[in-house]
Amino acid sequence: MDSKEKNIDKIHKKELGFDLPEDYFLKSKNQILSKVSTNKETKIIALLKHKMVWFAAAGIALIFAIAVYKQQAIPSIKNMPVLVLDTLNTDKNLNMANYSFFEEDVLIASLFVSDNNVEIFVSNAFIEDVVTDEYLDEFIVEELMNEDLF
Amino acid sequence: MKNESEFIGKLLSANQRDEAFKKLLDLYQKRLYWHIRKIVITHENADDVLQNTFLRVYKSLPNFQQKSTLSTWMFRIAYNESLRFLEQNKNKYYDSVEEVQQKYLNNLVSDSYFEGDEVQLKLHRVLAQLPEKERQIFQMKYYDDLKFREIAEITEIAEGTIKTLYYKSVGFIEKQMLDAELLVKN
């Protein structure tokens, strides 16, 4: 300790009455060094935390993508796999005579739908059927009118 | 400091930094502690601020541009940390940093690390009557033994203004001490 350092302690104690705990500067030095090394470790943790945020964000995006995909993947008769549609069309043609293919279509197609989605699938199929019926009715009326006209 | 640029080089070098930082603590710990203590008054406050100061110094070392000396740069960090501490302690009960300082001064007698008698208390009261900036300038010059140029850099006040304020505060303190019979006129 040089004379200037001794003097700085002395002047503050003598003129301003400030005192210190014993060995304060030694203890304080160790505390500061320990905080500095903790700070270095914290930086590493912070970096990991930063990475974890990205992982979490990626995870959320993935869950969202799956949810959207699943929603789109709930099949309607229109977007059934080609093989299924072929089977349905064949059946449809065979049953054209008695016009009762709708119920059977739904039953067959529903075999390819998971239990959780059956209800949504049936409801979609019902709506499609109503729309088709409506379209057929209009078509028949137009045909009859054309026949009357000509 | 002799070979300051060499020492700064060690502080900035990744593999010599920790060793150089220990040396930095040995060199500046006391001077910064006393500088801080006069602003934040109590030992507990000064201890907190000193630790924050050195942490900030360590973190900021890679950004140290050597536009000032290492000493001035560190004093400036210590000074800003002390003011930040007072600002944080201002809370809803006080309007200004000066009021917070006044609160600590009023509680000085009950501070376990204050051993002053009536004379020292009177000196504190006289210093407390100075406007905040003037008091800090006076303390930096008189107790911390800093040069006017260094005080100007730390406080970001023009050197000429620093000199004027310092001599003004010396005159004020002398007058107050004579009135309080702490000084005898020659």
Side-chain angles (χ1 to χ4, degrees):
Chain A
M1 187 189 289
D2 62 22
S3 60
K4 200 175 178 183
E5 279 205 343
K6 274 183 190 168
N7 198 36
I8 199 173
D9 281 355
K10 207 173 162 184
I11 195 171
H12 283 88
K13 284 181 184 179
K14 194 182 165 196
E15 292 198 12
L16 297 171
F18 287 147
D19 198 17
L20 287 168
E22 219 178 301
D23 294 329
Y24 166 68
F25 288 113
L26 182 66
K27 286 174 190 165
S28 164
K29 183 184 171 183
N30 292 334
Q31 274 182 326
I32 291 165
L33 290 173
S34 128
K35 276 194 177 179
V36 163
S37 60
T38 313
N39 197 261
K40 277 191 226 164
E41 286 163 24
T42 316
K43 259 190 177 175
I44 294 163
I45 293 163
L47 200 68
L48 283 175
K49 268 187 183 171
H50 199 63
K51 274 189 179 173
M52 282 178 77
V53 169
W54 280 107
F55 281 127
I60 290 166
L62 188 67
I63 291 166
F64 182 74
I66 289 168
V68 169
Y69 172 77
K70 277 221 162 193
Q71 216 168 27
Q72 286 175 347
I74 294 169
S76 76
I77 286 181
K78 279 177 191 161
N79 58 21
M80 279 280 109
V82 178
L83 182 68
V84 180
L85 282 175
D86 284 346
T87 313
L88 290 176
N89 287 335
T90 313
D91 267 7
K92 207 183 275 182
N93 293 335
L94 289 173
N95 295 322
M96 195 64 90
N98 55 17
Y99 206 67
S100 64
F101 58 89
F102 173 71
E103 287 84 358
E104 285 169 32
D105 288 351
V106 175
L107 281 172
I108 294 164
S110 69
L111 294 173
F112 296 91
V113 178
S114 71
D115 290 349
N116 296 336
N117 296 325
V118 163
E119 207 170 89
I120 301 166
F121 172 75
V122 170
S123 150
N124 285 348
F126 177 75
I127 291 164
E128 278 175 33
D129 183 50
V130 170
V131 171
T132 311
D133 281 352
E134 202 66 36
Y135 176 75
L136 280 172
D137 287 347
E138 276 179 28
F139 180 72
I140 290 163
V141 170
E142 269 180 37
E143 284 287 311
L144 287 170
M145 282 173 75
N146 284 342
E147 274 175 24
D148 283 347
L149 284 170
F150 301 101
Chain B
M1 187 200 285
K2 285 175 193 169
N3 298 323
E4 179 160 304
S5 56
E6 191 187 319
F7 183 62
I8 292 168
K10 286 181 182 174
L11 281 166
L12 297 176
S13 133
N15 53 349
Q16 294 183 80
R17 194 173 171 190
D18 287 354
E19 208 48 48
F21 188 72
K22 280 182 193 169
K23 175 86 177 149
L24 191 75
L25 266 166
D26 290 336
L27 287 168
Y28 289 102
Q29 190 188 17
K30 275 196 178 185
R31 290 184 70 196
L32 292 183
Y33 171 84
W34 288 118
H35 170 71
I36 293 164
R37 176 88 184 252
K38 290 187 294 293
I39 303 173
V40 298
I41 315 294
T42 73
H43 167 69
E44 280 76 15
N45 294 347
D47 184 35
D48 279 354
V49 177
L50 183 72
Q51 294 196 17
N52 292 342
T53 299
F54 274 103
L55 280 178
R56 194 167 288 270
V57 165
Y58 189 85
K59 281 183 197 167
S60 310
L61 272 170
N63 306 321
F64 177 48
Q65 294 173 347
Q66 301 183 47
K67 285 179 183 170
S68 60
T69 62
L70 191 60
S71 163
T72 310
W73 181 67
M74 290 179 66
F75 265 94
R76 190 168 167 181
I77 292 175
Y79 176 73
N80 288 334
E81 281 296 317
S82 307
L83 296 186
R84 196 198 313 270
F85 176 88
L86 293 176
E87 192 66 42
Q88 281 168 352
N89 283 271
K90 200 168 76 178
N91 66 42
K92 59 184 175 183
Y93 300 109
Y94 302 98
D95 290 332
S96 67
V97 160
E98 286 83 356
E99 279 186 44
V100 184
Q101 260 182 330
Q102 197 57 51
K103 178 195 85 170
Y104 291 130
L105 280 170
N106 293 341
N107 296 334
L108 204 55
V109 187
S110 53
D111 185 352
S112 52
Y113 295 109
F114 178 74
E115 288 198 337
D117 54 20
E118 192 52 39
V119 175
Q120 286 145 339
L121 272 174
K122 274 184 184 173
L123 178 59
H124 277 289
R125 284 189 202 114
V126 169
L127 288 172
Q129 287 176 52
L130 283 170
E132 175 66 15
K133 281 273 179 252
E134 285 178 37
R135 182 167 72 243
Q136 280 162 14
I137 290 164
F138 173 79
Q139 292 182 152
M140 282 188 223
K141 181 68 188 158
Y142 183 79
Y143 292 109
D144 297 333
D145 202 22
L146 292 168
K147 296 182 178 81
F148 286 125
R149 181 185 44 77
E150 291 174 317
I151 300 171
E153 280 182 39
I154 294 164
T155 56
E156 293 180 318
I157 298 172
E159 194 176 332
T161 313
I162 296 283
K163 282 182 188 172
T164 309
L165 291 175
Y166 175 71
Y167 290 117
K168 188 181 155 198
S169 56
V170 168
F172 175 82
I173 291 165
E174 275 180 354
K175 187 182 179 306
Q176 294 295 313
M177 287 175 79
L178 282 168
D179 291 350
E181 294 176 343
L182 292 170
L183 269 183
V184 183
K185 206 169 189 177
N186 293 325

